[in-house]
């Protein structure tokens, strides 16, 4: 859990990533993990002026674990993510030219999550587990769609899609492991509750 990576790839894509973790205290009751990536990238698609569709990413995911003994563990984790790109790659087939415009076409996604995972062994046979997670995603897409074509060129229409979603999920379960004679069993019983809300909008323009 101590890894740092630097990379350079096709289409002038550069990236840095890390995965760090370990004990925060001498007794190892507290520990952490940090995962992250930053990418300044380009895809294989390019517009007529040579501008390539972007493929960028920023992500950071920290977590902290509290384990006071061998029977109990609580991990609190979060994630922040942002993806930005040049949007949708749609070609005008006869010329193999992208329909979009580098000054307009784009995709932007933001994502945040926060939650915890709790596990506690009650005895030799039963384990209590509980998980909670809240997440939120916002996504915007600007694109140019071809709505017609003739000998002189193509007719395009500007479109924008905007979506947001928030979700909350929670579950509690009991895991039992026991034997009856020569037969071993695993029994899971629990309850989960989830709620999500989505807002989606669309615009069309000349």
């Amino acid at each position: 859990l101590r890894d740092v990576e630097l990379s350079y790839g096709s289409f002038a894509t550069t990236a840095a990533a890390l995965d760090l973790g370990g004990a925060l205290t001498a007794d190892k009751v507290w520990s952490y993990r940090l995962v992250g990536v930053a990418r300044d990238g380009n895809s294989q698609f390019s517009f007529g002026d040579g501008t390539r569709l972007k493929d960028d990413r920023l992500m950071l995911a920290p977590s902290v674990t509290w384990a006071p003994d061998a029977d109990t563990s609580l991990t609190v984790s979060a994630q922040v993510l942002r993806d930005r790109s040049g949007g949708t790659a749609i070609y005008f087939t006869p010329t193999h030219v992208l329909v979009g415009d580098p000054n307009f076409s784009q995709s932007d996604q933001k994502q945040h999550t926060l939650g915890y995972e709790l596990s506690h062994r009650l005895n030799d046979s039963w384990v209590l587990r509980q998980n909670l997670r809240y997440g939120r995603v916002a996504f915007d897409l600007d694109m140019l769609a071809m709505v017609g074509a003739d000998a002189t060129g193509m007719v395009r229409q500007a479109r924008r899609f905007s979506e947001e979603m928030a979700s909350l999920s929670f579950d509690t379960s009991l895991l039992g492991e026991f034997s009856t004679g020569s037969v071993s069993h695993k029994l899971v019983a629990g309850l989960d509750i989830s709620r999500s809300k989505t807002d989606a909008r669309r615009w069309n323009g000349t």
Side-chain angles (χ1 to χ4, degrees):
L1 296 181
R2 288 179 176 85
D3 182 67
V4 177
E5 177 182 305
L6 299 174
S7 64
Y8 180 85
S10 302
F11 314 114
T13 296
T14 58
L18 58 86
D19 187 353
L20 306 176
L24 289 171
T25 57
D27 56 9
K28 299 183 179 181
V29 170
W30 291 91
S31 60
Y32 80 99
R33 189 171 185 181
L34 179 64
V35 179
V37 63
R39 182 179 68 229
D40 182 5
N42 300 287
S43 70
Q44 69 269 39
F45 304 107
S46 59
F47 296 99
D49 65 354
T51 303
R52 290 195 175 273
L53 267 72
K54 295 292 292 179
D55 183 23
D56 299 342
R57 165 168 286 187
L58 286 173
M59 189 277 291
L60 193 64
S63 61
V64 176
T65 298
W66 173 64
D69 51 53
D71 295 327
T72 306
S73 174
L74 173 65
T75 298
V76 178
S77 59
Q79 186 192 76
V80 179
L81 171 71
R82 185 172 190 184
D83 285 340
R84 303 184 71 179
S85 75
T88 306
I90 303 175
Y91 279 99
F92 182 39
T93 305
T95 61
H96 299 288
V97 173
L98 283 180
V99 175
D101 187 300
N103 296 312
F104 180 77
S105 303
Q106 66 167 349
S107 169
D108 190 355
Q109 176 174 308
K110 300 175 183 176
Q111 177 176 304
H112 308 85
T113 63
L114 178 65
Y116 69 81
E117 299 176 36
L118 172 65
S119 176
H120 177 65
R121 177 168 290 278
L122 302 174
N123 51 45
D124 292 340
S125 300
W126 294 95
V127 176
L128 174 67
R129 298 182 299 189
Q130 188 177 88
N131 305 294
L132 182 142
R133 174 175 160 171
Y134 172 79
R136 188 175 186 88
V137 178
F139 176 71
D140 294 312
L141 172 66
D142 294 335
M143 63 175 292
L144 293 173
M146 187 174 68
V147 295
D150 54 30
T152 61
M154 57 184 167
V155 180
R156 302 183 299 179
Q157 183 185 65
R159 296 177 180 177
R160 178 177 176 84
F161 300 87
S162 182
E163 299 182 8
E164 293 183 5
M165 184 182 74
S167 64
L168 178 66
S169 58
F170 173 83
D171 70 82
T172 302
S173 63
L174 275 173
L175 170 64
E177 297 182 282
F178 53 91
S179 300
T180 54
S182 60
V183 181
S184 60
H185 308 274
K186 284 187 177 181
L187 174 66
V188 178
L191 173 71
D192 69 84
I193 302 172
S194 63
R195 178 180 175 87
S196 62
K197 181 180 179 181
T198 303
D199 180 23
R201 288 166 287 175
R202 173 180 172 179
W203 294 265
N204 293 330
T206 56

